[in-house]
Amino acid sequence: MSWVEMKVRGLREEAEGILGLELCSVSGDGLPFGWTPGAHVDLQMGSGLVRQYSLTNLAEEGCLRLAIKREPESRGGSQWLHEQLRLGTRLQVGTPRNLFALQPGTSPVVLAAAGIGITPLLAMYRACRAQQRPVHLYYFSRSPVHSAFLDQLQSQPDVSLFSGLSSAEIAQQLPGLLAGRQPGSQLYSCGPHGFMDCVFESAIVAGWPRDVLYREHFQAPLQLADAPANQAQAVQLMLTKSDKQVAVQSGETLVAAAARVGVEITTSCGMGMCGACMTRVVSGEVDHQDQYLSDAERASGMWIMPCVSGCSGNELVLDL
Ligand code: FES
């Protein structure tokens, strides 16, 4: 991932507590990158934080569109964006990455969103419509005023909107909505983890194969964000490029240990999901705890995500 400076070209209230943001290139020219539905970008806040947000639009539009929910427990990310952004504000934006890609093809697509989980699914919905691919979007929100993008969605025959339902009521609705799967259909879900679990459980009961169920991964559970899987045992960390070494303490991340000897590892999510901290391993046995690397990358022994992963031996040598 690399960083690009972009400019705020549009701001609007998408729903109560949800800020719609449009970013364009500083020069006004087209964007130097593309993306596919389900992609997200990293935004650098002025406060130094980096947060990930899904793109709601298609690359052909030549700008980035995002929707940012103001989180009551925000540690400075969404709160900063809601309070500080103005038209013309410049932001450092990471080039888009996709951990939740819409699978290519023509098979029918079912989308199940709750709350701000509508954002990547809106891009998928629009892509399916543009490709004339069969799609149906189920969107659950707290109330009509908390429902984003209603102007685009409420009159569409392939969209079902639900608001004001309790978790138990949603759980009652889902089996009926997911019954009668068309052959080849794929199911994508994004929203709170309890919601996605419920969608998948209902789908499996309704006969959906597991390998056609897709869910957003970069929105880690809050407890994971607050407590990354730290090194379980003490290990000696050697950093070849900077010629430093440090004893990683039990309960400490490799990123934190490296920082103690002045070696900053770029991080973004801090949860093993975004890929920002991917580092080459020189030697040592990695205890992989991330959700970013492929099985082949893990098996190669060449890579580690040091924000969450550790070492199962006594010594780890990294190319830092
Ligand atoms: S910082 Fe995101 S994977 Fe490590």
Side-chain angles (χ1 to χ4, degrees):
M1 179 186 74
S2 54
W3 294 96
V4 177
E5 187 173 58
M6 299 189 73
K7 188 170 70 174
V8 176
R9 187 168 70 182
L11 291 168
R12 59 176 266 167
E13 187 182 43
E14 291 291 359
E16 188 160 315
I18 299 179
L19 175 69
L21 172 61
E22 181 181 315
L23 296 168
C24 64
S25 65
V26 170
S27 65
D29 296 338
L31 300 180
F33 50 73
W35 67 90
T36 53
H40 69 274
V41 291
D42 294 60
L43 295 186
Q44 277 185 27
M45 324 284 152
S47 53
L49 286 172
V50 176
R51 291 286 179 269
Q52 293 78 40
Y53 296 98
S54 293
L55 295 170
T56 63
N57 67 328
L58 305 181
E60 298 81 80
E61 295 171 34
C63 65
L64 302 181
R65 291 207 176 93
L66 306 88
I68 294 148
K69 180 183 176 194
R70 185 172 189 140
E71 300 288 354
E73 72 281 12
S74 169
R75 290 171 291 168
S78 63
Q79 181 184 336
W80 188 88
L81 292 166
H82 273 249
E83 292 176 359
Q84 302 299 323
L85 291 187
R86 304 283 182 273
L87 292 178
T89 300
R90 294 187 181 199
L91 284 176
Q92 291 294 324
V93 182
T95 46
R97 288 174 291 159
N98 201 336
L99 306 178
F100 183 46
L102 178 66
Q103 302 302 302
T106 56
S107 50
V109 169
V110 174
L111 307 169
I116 198 63
I118 184 64
T119 50
L121 298 192
L122 179 65
M124 292 185 182
Y125 172 75
R126 295 181 63 197
C128 289
R129 290 293 302 261
Q131 297 160 11
Q132 299 185 324
R133 183 173 179 178
V135 62
H136 199 102
L137 169 64
Y138 299 101
Y139 176 23
F140 296 84
S141 64
R142 218 165 97 199
S143 74
V145 295
H146 292 94
S147 303
F149 311 112
L150 283 187
D151 53 339
Q152 299 176 49
L153 298 176
Q154 62 188 353
S155 58
Q156 301 298 336
D158 46 15
V159 174
S160 301
L161 302 172
F162 303 84
S163 62
L165 299 183
S166 66
S167 303
E169 288 168 330
I170 293 173
Q172 277 178 353
Q173 290 271 345
L174 284 170
L177 301 178
L178 298 173
R181 172 181 179 255
Q182 291 179 48
S185 299
Q186 302 164 357
L187 173 62
Y188 298 81
S189 183
C190 186
H193 281 258
F195 171 78
M196 292 191 289
D197 290 346
C198 190
V199 168
F200 276 20
E201 283 162 20
S202 302
I204 288 163
V205 169
W208 290 70
R210 287 178 189 273
D211 63 358
V212 298
L213 308 181
Y214 302 90
R215 62 194 285 169
E216 176 60 281
H217 280 298
F218 81 82
Q219 295 169 329
L222 279 177
Q223 62 271 26
L224 180 58
D226 292 340
N230 299 335
Q231 178 65 35
Q233 63 187 39
V235 65
Q236 194 67 16
L237 177 63
M238 326 278 279
L239 307 171
T240 50
K241 277 193 192 133
S242 43
D243 196 22
K244 299 260 175 72
Q245 57 177 288
V246 59
V248 186
Q249 303 304 314
S250 174
E252 185 179 38
T253 64
L254 299 179
V255 169
R260 281 199 285 114
V261 290
V263 177
E264 293 298 329
I265 302 175
T266 302
T267 61
S268 177
C269 69
M271 297 181 284
M273 297 188 167
C274 72
C277 65
M278 189 167 171
T279 300
R280 187 176 283 276
V281 176
V282 177
S283 65
E285 199 167 330
V286 177
D287 174 19
H288 292 287
Q289 298 289 339
D290 64 280
Q291 297 185 48
Y292 183 82
L293 293 176
S294 66
D295 289 346
E297 286 167 332
R298 288 174 186 217
S300 75
M302 292 173 61
W303 301 103
I304 186 171
M305 314 309 296
C307 64
V308 291
S309 296
C311 173
S312 46
N314 299 322
E315 184 180 285
L316 182 66
V317 185
L318 300 181
D319 185 30
L320 285 168

